[in-house]
Amino acid sequence: MAIATTMTALWVVPSTATAESPPDGGDLGRQWTAAYDAPAKYPGPVHIDFDVPIAMSDGTVLKANIYRPVDAAGRIVDEPLPTIVNLTPYTKFASLIADIALNIPVLSDALIQLVNRFDFGGTPFDSITDLTKALAGGAPRAFGADRKLVQQGYTYIVADVRGTGYSQGAWQFFQSRENQDTLELIDWASKQAWSDGNIGMSGISYSGINQFKAAEQNPPALKAIFPIEGSTDPLTDVAFPGGGLGLFAPLYIAAVDLISNFPDPVGIALGHLDYQWLLDRVATPLEFFDYILMALSLNVDSVPQPLKDQLLPGSSLRSAFTDSHPERIQVPTFAYGGWQDIFASSSARSFSDIPLPPERKKLIMGDTYHFNPGSGLGDPGKPPRLDVLQKAWYDKWLKGIDNGIDQYGPVVLWQQGGGWTTASSFQRPDMEYQRMYLSPTISGTATSVYDGSLSAQTPDAAAQLTVSPVNGLTSLCSRDAAVESAGAISLLNFCGRDDRIHELGGLTFTGAPVAEPTVLSGPINVHLNTMYDNIEGYWAVTVNDVAPNGQSTVLASGQLAASLRAVDEEKSTKDADGDYTHTVYKLTLADRQTLVPGQPTVLDVGVNPVDAVLQPGHRLRVNVFASNFPRGFLPPPLLFDGGILNSVAPQHLLLDPSAPSFVNVPLSRPLG
């Protein structure tokens, strides 16, 4: 069982850097921007070798576009150069389209500048600005192929992952064969005549996850990675968070399957007809959709055996989502995540999980969703653009240029309720965990199913509060709904930025106003004493910042299928009082504990890590709901296991002084 010292070792990694740099990097940040925007070292139009076949060790052929610089005389540069690898399931053709759109002479830069000038701040439409500013924040060049990087002396490879795009084979979704492909492609690239043997990796989302997986193996040629919105724990981030299913995963699988069934138009135009590709797609046109259909079973006993097998620890598919080892990474890593991203939890933990000195690892956490990474970066007082930082990182670790990027940060955080800050670690040093008890005393601050209070002392009064999944349908207009939609629902300010509509369907517990700025930093746990009318239940919680005007802003959230409450003690951490701080679940059918109707059941709901500040006059609030659609809902086998009425059965929260419910929250100062 982990204890406080373990928690400290895991979450707080002291910095050996002499000082924390400002979020914008100061003079060095301006130098990195100038270096990226400087006239091209190789000003000729970038040469592209389209649809290059690369054979893997099992005979399967991956297809790649290779971008190479051209000098002023129009000659392809034959000098061996550092090489960047981007392995994508979104097709190299989509990357090519993004690349072309970002590099139309004059027009592209003018359009980006024009879009960046639109600022709806202070209006009901300010969330639109959060999305449009991503275009100028540098992330789109990591999705495509960064021609400006190529023109400064790099070769860039965009390859279709096995079974996607125009690559042969069946899609493996991070299983061992796909991971082996990544290592073989890195090795292949390092041995080409146009490569100097130094390889970096780039990419967003899926192409960030495979960077972490490659770096765990520490291949000799891999000198740096720059994952944007990657994950080191896809199972609990998005695939099965707290034992719940969300809409994102099945829609994502459907989208990748769909685009993978179309051949590369450029490859076809060039006459690169690949009949093996066609045979492979005919054989597996809807990869992983069979498991989605199996998950629609109406009770646990009727779940087909193939799906049960894949849910077992050690199975190929479960291992693909759980067998991550950031603690093995020795490759310099610069990670970007967003507090509202689907991968926020493991992104925030990546800095402490990777055992490197701060000069060799960096973390930026922005106030962004999955759809708008890097939004606003490059503006005054904010971190440099992601394309700028990426080039500086590669220049340092692939070219050996002493540009000071190793002294940046090392942790740069958008502090919710405050602004951009730097820190030596995440979680921040000197945080102390404190219980804040859920009390039946009316707070008078919320409109909800029940308006309770938060108290630093164990409440004297007892109560049984009831909430239903039907009440919880207000989650359709919530910050979690915005997260699951990758940011689309955030365009509705009254859903993404204010939780009061959502709170109409839940239980709220609100503390007293703070008298001075109070920082929250790190993972959170909500401990609940519960009771049920059926054998299954589902809980969702949020931790909120309530402003004096009543606006309730979600800082972090968590969810849990009640029967899957078994905690993995080896991976979880506790404070000195024995309360969970970082909560990890076993999430196996073998560890499922069905509920006994009418019997109290204690459980712990892990909440994503947070970095926030409560300003004077603001209050801490914990919300408790019985559903969380579309971010999470009970899988059908669990939902209907006690009969169809289980889907609408009410759930009860017991506020019992002898077995209290509370939130365990990391604070810079005690709350009263």
Side-chain angles (χ1 to χ4, degrees):
M1 182 182 296
I3 57 175
T5 54
T6 306
M7 182 273 291
T8 302
L10 176 65
W11 283 95
V12 182
V13 180
S15 171
T16 59
T18 55
E20 298 161 15
S21 68
D24 65 0
D27 289 339
L28 286 173
R30 288 182 282 276
Q31 291 174 26
W32 304 328
T33 301
Y36 184 89
D37 294 335
K41 179 179 180 180
Y42 301 108
V46 170
H47 172 81
I48 308 175
D49 292 316
F50 290 102
D51 215 37
V52 175
I54 306 171
M56 298 292 100
S57 58
D58 66 349
T60 300
V61 176
L62 307 188
K63 303 293 181 59
N65 290 343
I66 301 176
Y67 298 71
R68 298 176 60 191
V70 174
D71 64 22
R75 295 184 296 265
I76 300 174
V77 175
D78 56 10
E79 172 190 352
L81 297 171
T83 301
I84 309 303
V85 171
N86 182 331
L87 272 156
T88 177
Y90 311 125
T91 78
K92 64 184 185 301
F93 180 71
S95 295
L96 175 67
I97 296 300
D99 162 55
I100 292 172
L102 290 167
N103 289 282
I104 300 172
V106 181
L107 181 60
S108 292
D109 287 340
L111 180 61
I112 290 173
Q113 292 176 17
L114 177 64
V115 170
N116 204 40
R117 287 197 185 101
F118 281 99
D119 190 345
F120 295 97
T123 76
F125 308 104
D126 57 358
S127 293
I128 296 175
T129 302
D130 292 340
L131 296 182
T132 59
K133 279 186 171 290
L135 190 62
R141 296 191 187 279
F143 176 82
D146 192 342
R147 291 197 187 206
K148 289 191 174 183
L149 184 66
V150 173
Q151 290 179 314
Q152 295 294 356
Y154 287 87
T155 299
Y156 204 105
I157 300 174
V158 181
D160 291 329
V161 168
R162 171 186 295 252
T164 71
Y166 209 28
S167 286
Q168 297 174 3
W171 183 27
Q172 296 292 296
F173 218 154
F174 302 124
Q175 294 179 74
S176 58
R177 180 61 249 188
E178 183 179 306
N179 298 332
Q180 182 63 30
D181 289 346
T182 304
L183 300 180
E184 291 182 14
L185 184 56
I186 290 170
D187 182 65
W188 177 88
S190 72
K191 295 176 179 177
Q192 301 307 299
W194 34 256
S195 174
D196 68 359
N198 294 304
I199 307 298
M201 292 188 73
S202 177
I204 298 175
S205 188
Y206 194 108
S207 305
I209 297 172
N210 60 29
Q211 292 182 60
F212 282 123
K213 286 187 170 292
E216 292 172 9
Q217 304 300 318
N218 297 295
L222 185 60
K223 299 300 193 297
I225 63 172
F226 200 97
I228 298 173
E229 295 183 334
S231 172
T232 57
D233 190 2
L235 182 78
T236 55
D237 277 345
V238 68
F240 204 40
L245 296 178
L247 281 185
F248 183 90
L251 292 177
Y252 176 89
I253 290 170
V256 172
D257 277 339
L258 176 65
I259 61 177
S260 294
N261 282 296
F262 291 92
D264 189 316
V266 176
I268 295 297
L270 295 174
H272 299 169
L273 304 179
D274 189 335
Y275 294 105
Q276 184 59 51
W277 173 90
L278 180 60
L279 292 173
D280 290 340
R281 292 304 181 274
V282 170
T284 57
L286 295 173
E287 197 67 61
F288 303 109
F289 237 79
D290 51 345
Y291 292 125
I292 294 175
L293 296 177
M294 292 178 198
L296 299 179
S297 305
L298 294 184
N299 59 67
V300 172
D301 291 337
S302 66
V303 173
Q305 194 61 43
L307 179 56
K308 286 184 177 180
D309 291 343
Q310 289 297 346
L311 294 175
L312 292 173
S315 70
S316 60
L317 195 55
R318 186 183 178 99
S319 294
F321 289 91
T322 61
D323 191 19
S324 297
H325 295 281
E327 74 279 2
R328 297 176 183 173
I329 293 176
Q330 295 298 312
V331 178
T333 301
F334 197 127
Y336 175 90
W339 292 120
Q340 321 311 333
D341 182 35
I342 54 174
F343 299 134
S345 180
S346 68
S347 290
R349 298 196 308 269
S350 65
F351 183 84
S352 60
D353 288 346
I354 297 172
L356 291 173
E359 292 81 10
R360 294 171 61 87
K361 63 177 179 178
K362 309 292 174 185
L363 172 66
I364 297 179
M365 289 294 294
D367 191 30
T368 53
Y369 293 90
H370 201 63
F371 188 70
N372 66 329
S375 178
L377 298 194
D379 288 348
K382 300 180 180 181
R385 305 189 316 260
L386 289 175
D387 50 4
V388 168
L389 291 168
Q390 183 171 245
K391 178 182 181 299
W393 194 245
Y394 295 150
D395 283 351
K396 168 66 180 179
W397 299 110
L398 274 67
K399 291 187 174 182
I401 298 174
D402 187 12
N403 55 14
I405 189 68
D406 52 324
Q407 297 302 310
Y408 182 61
V411 177
V412 181
L413 305 170
W414 172 261
Q415 189 173 64
Q416 299 179 82
W420 283 104
T421 66
T422 55
S424 61
S425 63
F426 182 79
Q427 91 194 112
R428 293 177 188 269
D430 303 322
M431 294 292 112
E432 295 288 339
Y433 276 88
Q434 178 185 348
R435 284 188 181 188
M436 291 296 292
Y437 294 94
L438 279 56
S439 166
T441 302
I442 301 297
S443 79
T445 63
T447 303
S448 58
V449 173
Y450 190 90
D451 168 29
S453 299
L454 283 179
S455 170
Q457 289 77 41
T458 306
D460 295 325
Q464 177 176 308
L465 307 180
T466 299
V467 66
S468 133
V470 177
N471 298 135
L473 288 177
T474 54
S475 61
L476 289 166
C477 180
S478 67
R479 171 62 67 84
D480 265 4
V483 169
E484 193 70 3
S485 69
I489 291 177
S490 72
L491 294 174
L492 305 174
N493 272 6
F494 52 84
C495 292
R497 295 199 176 188
D498 194 335
D499 207 37
R500 282 180 285 186
I501 291 178
H502 185 205
E503 289 170 352
L504 294 172
L507 312 173
T508 59
F509 302 90
T510 311
V514 300
E516 56 186 277
T518 303
V519 174
L520 297 75
S521 183
I524 297 170
N525 184 75
V526 177
H527 179 85
L528 299 178
N529 188 2
T530 64
M531 193 166 66
Y532 308 84
D533 297 342
N534 210 304
I535 65 169
E536 185 58 271
Y538 192 79
W539 296 99
V541 300
T542 66
V543 176
N544 294 27
D545 173 357
V546 182
N549 67 0
Q551 180 174 342
S552 181
T553 303
V554 175
L555 302 176
S557 65
Q559 55 192 12
L560 177 65
S563 70
L564 297 179
R565 62 190 179 278
V567 174
D568 188 329
E569 299 289 353
E570 292 300 317
K571 295 181 179 179
S572 300
T573 55
K574 293 184 176 182
D575 62 18
D577 296 321
D579 295 332
Y580 288 110
T581 54
H582 175 47
T583 312
V584 180
Y585 305 104
K586 294 182 178 180
L587 299 181
T588 68
L589 290 178
D591 293 296
R592 185 179 181 229
Q593 306 167 63
T594 54
L595 307 166
V596 178
Q599 177 177 303
T601 301
V602 172
L603 49 80
D604 291 272
V605 183
V607 176
N608 286 347
V610 65
D611 195 81
V613 57
L614 298 178
Q615 300 292 355
H618 287 233
R619 303 167 184 258
L620 182 68
R621 174 177 291 167
V622 172
N623 295 329
V624 180
F625 305 91
S627 62
N628 197 27
F629 186 85
R631 175 66 173 142
F633 51 90
L634 281 171
L638 304 186
L639 181 64
F640 300 114
D641 204 27
I644 194 166
L645 292 180
N646 189 54
S647 61
V648 295
Q651 301 174 186
H652 313 288
L653 179 63
L654 305 179
L655 301 184
D656 181 351
S658 64
S661 296
F662 58 87
V663 58
N664 195 27
V665 59
L667 300 165
S668 62
R669 52 178 296 275
L671 293 179

